[in-house]
Amino acid sequence: MTRLLHALRRHLVVIAGLLTLAYLVLPNAVVMVFSFNRPNGRFNYTWQRFSLDAWKDPCGVADLCGSLSLSLRIAALATLGATVLGTMIAFALVRYRFRARGAVNSLIFLPLAMPEVVMAASLLTLFLNMGAELGFRTVLIAHIMFCLSFVVTAVKARVMSMDPRLEEAARDLYAGPAQTFLRVTLPIAAPGIAAGALLAFALSFDDFIITNFNAGSTVTFPMFVWGSAQRGTPVQINVIGTAMFAVAVAVVVVGQLVADRRKSRAEK
C-alpha cells in the first residue's frame, strides 16, 4: 500500500494529465462511435446496431454538404484575410513606435475578453446601419474581425522572441529588404503565423453565435447542426464530425513529426 501511494505521488502530474486528456477526448469518442450507429427513429442518442450506411453516403441528408462547403469556404477566406492583416499588425506593434500604440494593443485584446454575443450584436448593428444585406459577405467580414485578435496574439508572441541580429547579419551580407524578409524574417515567424492561421480556421469553422446574428438566410454547418438537433440529429453529422477530428489530429501529428525531423537535423 505504501509503495502504491508513493508511486501515485511520484506520477501524480502524469496521471492528472492523462485523466484530463481522456475527459477532453471523451465527447469526440462518443461522436465517433455513434457515427456507426443505425437508429430506429430520427434521434441518434441511443445505440441500436452497427452500420456503415452513413459513411457510405455522408451527403445523404439534404443541405448538409452544402452547409459544410459554405463553412469551409468562409473559414478558408476568413483565415487568409485574418492571417495577412494580423501578421502585418503584429509586426507593426512589435517593430515600430507610434502614437496610440498602447491603445491599439488594448483594442486588439478586447475581442478576446468580450462575450461573443456582445460582438455579434455590435456587428449586426453596424451592418444594419450601413444598409448591408446580411449573408455570405457579412459573415465573412465578421469572422475576419473576431479571428484577427487571435492571429495578432500568436504572431506577436513569435515576433517578440525573434533575434533582430539575424536580420542585421543578412543586411550586412548585402541582402535587400525583400530578400531579408523572405529568407530570414518570414521563415522564423512562420510557426507563429501557422499557429494563428490554424486557430483562426478552427474558430471560424466552429463559430455559431456571431454567424447566427449576421448570416441572414445563409446556413453554415454549425447552424445546420443546431437546426437539425431540434428535429433529430442525423448520423451523417457524426460522420462529418469524426472526419474533421481525424483531419485535425493528422495535421497535428504531421506538424509534430516535421518539427522533430527539423530539430534532429539541426542537432546533427
Side-chain angles (χ1 to χ4, degrees):
M1 190 66 180
T2 305
R3 291 181 179 178
L4 179 60
L5 291 175
H6 180 70
L8 288 175
R9 290 176 183 175
R10 188 172 58 180
H11 302 289
L12 183 60
V13 176
V14 177
I15 294 173
L18 292 176
L19 290 175
T20 303
L21 183 62
Y23 177 76
L24 293 174
V25 174
L26 182 60
N28 297 297
V30 172
V31 170
M32 190 179 303
V33 170
F34 276 85
S35 68
F36 298 98
N37 186 30
R38 186 175 182 179
N40 292 329
R42 295 179 302 168
F43 298 96
N44 186 28
Y45 300 146
T46 57
W47 180 264
Q48 300 295 332
R49 57 189 179 277
F50 181 85
S51 176
L52 292 173
D53 292 344
W55 283 92
K56 294 178 181 178
D57 189 17
C59 296
V61 179
D63 299 328
L64 188 151
C65 284
S67 63
L68 176 63
S69 174
L70 179 63
S71 286
L72 291 174
R73 279 190 290 142
I74 291 175
L77 293 174
T79 299
L80 179 61
T83 301
V84 172
L85 293 175
T87 300
M88 292 191 293
I89 293 172
F91 271 95
L93 291 174
V94 174
R95 296 292 181 86
Y96 299 96
R97 300 292 183 267
F98 52 89
R99 290 183 179 180
R101 181 168 172 266
V104 173
N105 270 312
S106 300
L107 290 174
I108 288 296
F109 284 101
L110 189 60
L112 301 177
M114 183 186 301
E116 277 196 60
V117 66
V118 176
M119 189 171 184
S122 302
L123 287 169
L124 176 61
T125 304
L126 173 65
F127 291 139
L128 292 179
N129 287 332
M130 293 176 60
E133 182 180 356
L134 299 181
F136 180 88
R137 293 182 180 179
T138 55
V139 172
L140 179 59
I141 294 172
H143 281 210
I144 292 176
M145 292 186 69
F146 82 81
C147 289
L148 190 61
S149 298
F150 295 91
V151 176
V152 172
T153 302
V155 178
K156 184 181 175 183
R158 181 65 178 178
V159 175
M160 290 178 66
S161 65
M162 292 171 55
D163 189 352
R165 291 176 297 181
L166 297 175
E167 296 169 279
E168 293 175 2
R171 288 193 291 268
D172 289 340
L173 295 173
Y174 304 103
Q179 195 174 16
T180 302
F181 177 78
L182 292 176
R183 295 195 175 185
V184 179
T185 307
L186 189 60
I188 298 175
I193 297 173
L198 290 174
L199 184 59
F201 184 88
L203 290 170
S204 176
F205 181 83
D206 183 61
D207 182 75
F208 172 78
I209 297 177
I210 294 177
T211 304
N212 192 39
F213 271 72
N214 300 280
S217 59
T218 303
V219 179
T220 61
F221 184 69
M223 295 176 65
F224 179 87
V225 173
W226 177 79
S228 62
Q230 302 177 20
R231 304 183 299 271
T233 306
V235 184
Q236 282 81 356
I237 289 180
N238 297 65
V239 173
I240 299 299
T242 302
M244 295 296 294
F245 177 73
V247 170
V249 171
V251 170
V252 172
V253 171
V254 170
Q256 188 61 45
L257 292 176
V258 171
D260 292 342
R261 181 174 295 182
R262 288 181 177 176
K263 185 177 179 180
S264 62
R265 288 180 179 177
E267 291 177 351
K268 292 179 181 180

